[in-house]
Amino acid sequence: MKNQDGFSAVELLITLFIAAIFIATGYQLYSVVLKNGTDANQRSIASGIAYENLRRYVPQVTNPCSNVTPSPTPSIPSGSGLSNPSITVTIDCPYGLGALVGRVYVSVKYGNPQQEVVHAIFVNN
């Protein structure tokens, strides 16, 4: 009997089957990493927008505290990369009108289903 060089058809099919399993597993892992990276990036963008607005409206807290309508109207920059974004800024008195402590509360919502990032700061005048 003479030795054969190379693969038999069965060995080749087994090798291709194992390679296909590795490719499918790698693709699933890549999809999960890409999705998680995108979610983290959008959360980071929303957090940055919320923090920027938080710092912008801190000077509007009055002494003694009173509820204030933020001016100018808060907005999300165009081209932010967030889908369906909305922002809410509230300047209020968590301990009652006339107290020395005011609060600036910023909420940024984005995505579908809606995700929310909230930043708040208490200001003691």
Side-chain angles (χ1 to χ4, degrees):
M1 246 204 209
K2 190 175 179 184
N3 289 339
Q4 292 180 340
D5 291 335
F7 290 106
S8 70
V10 172
E11 291 170 330
L12 182 60
L13 286 174
I14 291 172
T15 303
L16 290 174
F17 181 72
I18 291 172
I21 290 173
F22 280 128
I23 290 171
T25 305
Y27 178 74
Q28 288 176 342
L29 180 61
Y30 172 76
S31 296
V32 168
V33 168
L34 187 62
K35 180 186 179 305
N36 288 343
T38 302
D39 290 347
N41 185 40
Q42 286 192 340
R43 186 159 192 81
S44 174
I45 291 169
S47 181
I49 291 169
Y51 185 74
E52 178 184 319
N53 279 280
L54 181 75
R55 301 309 288 168
R56 176 186 305 158
Y57 294 105
V58 162
Q60 294 185 19
V61 175
T62 60
N63 183 11
C65 185
S66 63
N67 296 333
V68 177
T69 302
S71 178
T73 303
S75 63
I76 298 204
S78 60
S80 65
L82 299 176
S83 60
N84 304 322
S86 66
I87 186 168
T88 305
V89 176
T90 306
I91 303 171
D92 62 3
C93 305
Y95 302 113
L97 293 174
L100 297 179
V101 177
R103 176 180 65 175
V104 180
Y105 179 89
V106 180
S107 169
V108 175
K109 294 182 180 180
Y110 64 94
N112 189 12
Q114 285 269 264
Q115 302 286 324
E116 182 178 26
V117 174
V118 174
H119 284 288
I121 189 168
F122 290 87
V123 180
N124 185 2
N125 287 326

